[in-house]
Amino acid sequence: HVQLVESGGGSVQPGGSLRLSCTASGYTYSKNCMGWFRQAPGQEREAVAAIWTGLSSTYYADSVKGRFTVSEGNSKNTIVLEMNSLKPEDSAMYYCAVDWGSPCGGDWYRPSKYNYWGQGTQVTVS
């Protein structure tokens, strides 16, 4: 049973920082594409960043390049999203997702690529 658990959301003022974590458990491969997505009320889910674990190749949406950093955590099957210079438009529910045993590639931003999703953690910038 694969499970993803996000943590670290909260409220912050514009220009502030937050750190989100996602830990996966269950059937695991050593190399997976793990992504962060976000969804604001009334809007479609959009890709934020992804990382091909094991190789640490990273991918970012243009809207967050230079402000957000995705990395592998210290614990196995954990990824971290460091968010700096936060803007009100970054406010959304943030979701972690994984495509088990598959690399990230040109389709990293497609929600349909991912097999499993977490429940989300709320980020509010105001």
Side-chain angles (χ1 to χ4, degrees), residues 30-110:
S30 61
K31 297 183 179 65
N32 311 281
C33 183
M34 296 186 73
W36 286 100
F37 288 75
R38 65 187 181 188
Q39 188 168 20
Q43 297 186 20
E44 292 187 356
R45 190 167 296 191
E46 64 171 350
V48 174
I51 184 166
W52 186 4
T53 63
L55 281 72
S56 292
S57 299
T58 57
Y59 306 78
Y60 296 96
D62 288 343
S63 59
V64 306
K65 280 181 182 177
R67 299 189 299 123
F68 291 12
T69 302
V70 61
S71 62
E72 294 188 64
N74 293 328
S75 302
K76 185 180 179 181
N77 290 330
T78 297
I79 63 170
V80 173
L81 185 67
E82 299 276 0
M83 304 186 295
N84 299 311
S85 302
L86 282 162
K87 305 174 181 180
E89 51 263 43
D90 294 317
S91 297
M93 185 71 77
Y94 281 69
Y95 298 91
C96 176
V98 64
D99 183 7
W100 283 127
S102 295
C104 295
D107 61 345
W108 74 270
Y109 61 93
R110 296 184 188 277

